């Protein structure tokens, strides 16, 4: 069982590294130095400066990111189907469709059905270089499916089921069918401090910060670049 979990964790790391290579264009180049020499991108200076101020990337890094993003996505945006196709390559042992849908929505901050370069930069900035608080805020947004500022048991269960479906053979048939619901019940007992049936952002962050396993998982993307 532990071996399966380790393999799934490696696949998540591989996907994170793939995403980075995808948007930096390093799928097509040998070195970052080569890419920087070729970073003669067209961009609006004011937009680039704004992204530099809002994100944790430097101007040169943003130039590289933009060039790679345009190489892979000439339209300037990534739609959900493309995102799902990329994600499915890294979890062939299960069905990642539903989880990829939730993850896509977390990147699609303006909810227009596509992920722009700006959306990608801000999401990656948090996942790769954000503070614990920023990462937990991003995670809360992922679980808050209807974006009403609260996480319900149903929303958490939907995410949990999607994760188990994605892991596929790494969990089933070892785990029982009601395992996701049992985990949700356990999480809610810890997080729902006032027992009102929903988890607020403050309750979520407080509970996560006290959980060593969750804090370790926050470091998953830190070594990608």
């Amino acid at each position: 069982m532990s071996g399966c979990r380790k393999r799934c964790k490696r696949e998540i790391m591989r996907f994170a590294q793939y995403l980075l290579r995808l948007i930096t264009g390093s799928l097509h180049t040998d070195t970052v130095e080569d890419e920087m020499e070729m970073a003669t991108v067209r961009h609006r200076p004011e937009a680039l400066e704004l992204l530099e101020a809002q994100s944790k990337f430097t101007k040169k890094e943003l130039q590289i990111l933009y060039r790679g993003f345009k190489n892979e996505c000439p339209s300037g945006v990534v739609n959900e189907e493309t995102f799902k196709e990329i994600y499915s390559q890294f979890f062939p042992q299960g069905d990642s469709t539903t989880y990829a849908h939730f993850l896509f929505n977390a990147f699609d901050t303006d909810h227009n059905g596509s992920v722009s370069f700006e959306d990608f930069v801000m999401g990656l900035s948090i996942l790769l270089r954000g503070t614990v608080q920023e990462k937990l805020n991003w995670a809360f947004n992922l679980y808050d499916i209807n974006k009403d500022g609260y996480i319900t048991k149903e929303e958490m269960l939907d995410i949990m089921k999607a994760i188990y479906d994605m892991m596929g053979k790494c969990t089933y048939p070892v785990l029982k069918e009601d395992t996701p619901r049992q985990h949700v019940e356990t999480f809610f007992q810890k997080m729902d401090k006032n027992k009102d049936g929903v988890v607020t952002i403050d309750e979520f962050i407080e509970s996560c910060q006290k959980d060593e396993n969750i804090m370790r998982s926050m470091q998953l993307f830190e070594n990608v670049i």
Side-chain angles (χ1 to χ4, degrees):
M1 181 65 181
S2 60
C4 276
R5 287 178 176 175
K6 288 179 180 178
R7 285 197 299 274
C8 289
K9 188 172 181 179
R10 285 198 299 268
E11 291 304 322
I12 294 173
M13 179 62 76
R14 283 182 58 217
F15 177 69
Q17 292 170 335
Y18 177 87
L19 273 184
L20 185 68
R21 294 197 307 273
L22 175 70
I23 65 172
T24 58
S26 54
L27 286 175
H28 305 297
T29 57
D30 293 329
T31 65
V32 172
E33 288 76 17
D34 289 341
E35 189 69 20
M36 294 180 91
E37 291 177 3
M38 297 171 64
T40 55
V41 300
R42 295 180 181 179
H43 58 76
R44 291 175 297 175
E46 65 274 16
L48 186 65
E49 290 173 2
L50 181 61
L51 274 178
E52 184 180 4
Q54 292 177 339
S55 73
K56 298 180 187 296
F57 294 117
T58 66
K59 182 178 180 179
K60 285 186 177 181
E61 287 172 331
L62 287 169
Q63 288 176 325
I64 296 170
L65 288 170
Y66 182 73
R67 184 180 184 279
F69 190 89
K70 291 292 287 184
N71 282 343
E72 298 294 336
C73 310
S75 66
V77 296
V78 177
N79 62 35
E80 185 171 340
E81 288 308 308
T82 299
F83 190 86
K84 287 179 178 178
E85 288 173 8
I86 294 172
Y87 210 79
S88 66
Q89 296 174 25
F90 293 86
F91 297 93
Q93 75 279 1
D95 182 358
S96 63
T97 303
T98 304
Y99 186 75
H101 165 73
F102 293 138
L103 191 60
F104 179 86
N105 286 342
F107 273 101
D108 180 17
T109 54
D110 52 8
H111 313 301
N112 65 354
S114 62
V115 173
S116 66
F117 175 65
E118 290 79 7
D119 293 333
F120 236 138
V121 165
M122 297 311 298
L124 284 177
S125 178
I126 293 171
L127 289 174
L128 299 179
R129 297 178 179 175
T131 64
V132 169
Q133 181 88 11
E134 289 171 334
K135 291 178 181 179
L136 289 176
N137 278 325
W138 197 91
F140 181 88
N141 180 59
L142 173 66
Y143 278 86
D144 180 17
I145 296 174
N146 67 358
K147 313 305 178 192
D148 65 350
Y150 302 95
I151 299 175
T152 64
K153 282 186 180 181
E154 290 73 21
E155 287 176 320
M156 187 172 286
L157 182 60
D158 285 344
I159 297 287
M160 198 69 68
K161 285 181 176 177
I163 292 173
Y164 284 130
D165 287 343
M166 178 178 67
M167 293 173 69
K169 295 176 183 177
C170 285
T171 56
Y172 296 121
V174 178
L175 297 182
K176 297 179 181 179
E177 187 174 350
D178 62 346
T179 297
R181 186 174 296 278
Q182 290 176 356
H183 284 178
V184 169
E185 291 293 338
T186 301
F187 287 140
F188 250 77
Q189 287 180 11
K190 293 180 180 180
M191 292 185 176
D192 186 12
K193 301 296 183 182
N194 61 359
K195 308 302 179 186
D196 63 351
V198 295
V199 174
T200 65
I201 182 66
D202 292 334
E203 289 174 327
F204 182 81
I205 290 176
E206 180 183 352
S207 297
C208 290
Q209 287 178 331
K210 293 179 180 179
D211 191 307
E212 292 183 3
N213 291 327
I214 293 177
M215 286 297 94
R216 280 196 296 269
S217 72
M218 289 292 101
Q219 301 172 359
L220 178 63
F221 294 99
E222 290 181 1
N223 297 320
V224 174
I225 59 174

